[in-house]
Amino acid sequence: MADVAADMSTGTSASLSGRSDGHDSERDDEHVTLAVNSTRYGGWKHVSIGAGIERCARDFTLSVTARWPGQDTAVSVRQGDRCEVRIGEDLVLTGWAYASPVRHDPHRVERGVSGRSLTSDIVDCSAAGEPSQWRNLGVVQIIRALVSAYGIEVVDQTGTADTLSDHTVQPGETVFESVDRLLTMSRLLATDDGRGRLIIVQPGSAGAASDAIVVGENVLWGGGEFDFSGVYSEYQCKGQQAGNDETFGAAASEVSASITDTRIARHRVKLIHESGNLTNDLARRRVAWERDYRITKALETTYAVRGWRQSNGRLWIANQMVHVVDPLIGFERDMLIAEVRYTKGDRGTIAELTIAPPDGFFPEPNDEHKARKVKKGKKGGGDNFEYLLPADWEKNA
């Protein structure tokens, strides 16, 4: 397989498509390139790039197949190389190459590269630095201290002012496990961006998608499990906090909160024992998050649409609000894009969008569920889940 190379100001560009003219049949704005060691590789035949608001490290897998006989593909990438992945001119991932798989048989050889965001280090690695305990600091300040050993930049888009009286790293936990405890307690979300930074976000802060997801128009396929076995009628949270001159005795050793979900008819109780320093306010937030999050996961659905870009030319991205019309499942409502995966292969160029109600990701401590009014679905469609969630989502001011 012939390589096509041209000098660039930043290095070399190599097409792995096997075309002698160096051009790919795909759209220019959906052309995937991998930049590593001053070389930019393109012409990938199989692509998978994923990002989501429930994970802080996006991933990629790129591969190309060459047929024998002929010149082999040349992908000079080693484990640990820093790399950038772009779709057109959009930087979608900055991270590390973790693997360079090779597979071959008598007819062909396939070479690839896979890797993850810079933030993958805080997912994999232990929180073993110093200090290991913080007192009376803001949540974001503690997160910055936890990830600093791995050189990860933190961007706070929420402006949260939550302060914890105590946070201690538990033995053996990874950096992100410690961060995740902070996020769950404070009802915050952390993801990464194309530059490999850790981003603390609010649901829907990426704005609204310009296109809707409409079955019969732009949906190739869709579906979900709609499994409510993990949903309960009552959630209880119990724990304790360190005593002081103002909080002592039972007030410190018996911290608890509970919340009910009247949407669930029969008696089902979920008890959460929270480790660490638990305040009454954090316990209330914890049960509110648990209730809404479990409904959210039960209604999670995935749709596949043709192409990676919307009609305005922008990529489909996670944390956007999108209107979904699916008369087969029964959706006619605004939903949150929780995860997006850009794929290319035998089925073509496809964006797989995992959508869910935003309620379970909402960071505010108030019980907004009771404050929202159920809206009837639009004429001609209707929504089968109005008894669980409002038809449209509006962020409370």
Side-chain angles (χ1 to χ4, degrees):
M1 173 175 281
D3 290 331
V4 178
D7 290 336
M8 300 176 61
S9 59
T10 57
T12 301
S13 175
S15 172
L16 306 175
S17 63
R19 295 174 59 94
S20 59
D21 57 5
H23 296 288
D24 297 314
S25 58
E26 63 189 0
R27 290 171 42 176
D28 289 341
D29 62 358
E30 291 183 343
H31 180 69
V32 176
T33 56
L34 172 70
V36 58
N37 298 329
S38 300
T39 300
R40 183 174 295 182
Y41 298 95
W44 304 99
K45 292 305 180 183
H46 297 276
V47 173
S48 177
I49 306 167
I53 62 173
E54 290 189 277
R55 45 191 285 194
C56 79
R58 52 190 67 191
D59 64 83
F60 73 91
T61 299
L62 312 173
S63 65
V64 63
T65 302
R67 295 186 178 277
W68 299 100
Q71 188 174 4
D72 191 10
T73 55
V75 186
S76 299
V77 180
R78 293 182 178 181
Q79 186 280 330
D81 281 345
R82 186 181 173 113
C83 54
E84 294 180 349
V85 179
R86 283 180 168 80
I87 298 177
E89 295 302 318
D90 292 301
L91 177 63
V92 295
L93 189 150
T94 302
W96 307 109
Y98 276 93
S100 51
V102 179
R103 297 177 180 85
H104 60 81
D105 60 32
H107 307 288
R108 62 181 61 83
V109 58
E110 179 180 285
R111 292 186 180 275
V113 181
S114 63
R116 294 152 67 206
S117 172
L118 298 179
T119 52
S120 60
D121 282 342
I122 67 173
V123 176
D124 301 338
C125 300
S126 298
E130 294 292 340
S132 60
Q133 183 180 40
W134 296 266
R135 294 185 183 274
N136 299 316
L137 278 182
V139 169
V140 176
Q141 290 176 284
I142 298 174
I143 291 174
R144 286 198 171 105
L146 281 164
V147 306
S148 62
Y150 296 97
I152 302 300
E153 183 180 351
V154 178
V155 178
D156 177 23
Q157 296 181 350
T158 68
T160 179
D162 284 353
T163 298
L164 296 183
S165 59
D166 177 79
H167 178 76
T168 303
V169 173
Q170 295 181 353
E173 73 178 349
T174 66
V175 175
F176 188 71
E177 285 172 342
S178 194
V179 169
D180 192 48
R181 287 195 290 118
L182 290 165
L183 298 172
T184 301
M185 294 282 285
S186 302
R187 302 189 73 195
L188 296 173
L189 296 172
T191 184
D192 65 336
D193 66 359
R195 294 168 58 184
R197 303 177 299 179
L198 184 68
I199 312 295
I200 302 173
V201 300
Q202 292 182 346
S205 60
S210 64
D211 295 352
I213 297 174
V214 183
V215 172
E217 293 185 10
N218 62 347
V219 174
L220 297 175
W221 53 263
E225 295 300 322
F226 304 101
D227 182 357
F228 281 73
S229 62
V231 180
Y232 298 84
S233 63
E234 182 180 355
Y235 299 89
Q236 300 176 2
C237 179
K238 296 183 179 182
Q240 59 185 11
Q241 61 177 307
N244 53 44
D245 292 340
E246 297 179 357
T247 304
F248 53 88
S253 62
E254 300 177 6
V255 179
S256 66
S258 65
I259 197 169
T260 59
D261 194 337
T262 57
R263 297 168 292 185
I264 307 305
R266 73 184 189 276
H267 183 63
R268 286 170 56 82
V269 178
K270 178 67 174 179
L271 176 60
I272 304 159
H273 286 283
E274 190 65 55
S275 61
N277 206 47
L278 184 68
T279 65
N280 289 320
D281 183 55
L282 287 175
R284 287 191 292 269
R285 296 186 190 199
R286 183 70 172 86
V287 292
W289 178 87
E290 196 75 31
R291 179 199 59 192
D292 292 340
Y293 181 74
R294 286 175 177 270
I295 287 285
T296 289
K297 296 303 289 183
L299 294 176
E300 192 173 78
T301 309
T302 299
Y303 292 98
V305 298
R306 181 72 65 188
W308 296 335
R309 296 185 181 272
Q310 303 172 61
S311 58
N312 65 354
R314 295 184 180 274
L315 290 168
W316 290 100
I317 60 173
N319 205 30
Q320 280 187 325
M321 296 301 301
V322 62
H323 194 68
V324 181
V325 180
D326 184 345
L328 298 176
I329 289 176
F331 285 143
E332 187 169 351
R333 63 172 59 244
D334 294 336
M335 303 284 262
L336 182 71
I337 301 176
E339 184 160 345
V340 60
R341 182 161 293 278
Y342 311 106
T343 66
K344 178 184 176 183
D346 297 337
R347 295 187 298 176
T349 302
I350 295 172
E352 296 180 6
L353 309 174
T354 299
I355 59 96
D359 300 61
F361 303 108
F362 205 78
E364 295 183 6
N366 297 326
D367 189 3
E368 70 281 353
H369 166 64
K370 293 180 180 179
R372 293 182 192 160
K373 295 180 179 179
V374 172
K375 299 179 181 180
K376 295 298 181 182
K378 296 179 181 179
K379 185 178 180 181
D383 194 293
N384 291 346
F385 300 96
E386 290 177 342
Y387 73 102
L388 294 174
L389 298 165
D392 295 308
W393 183 79
E394 294 178 358
K395 186 176 177 181
N396 291 341

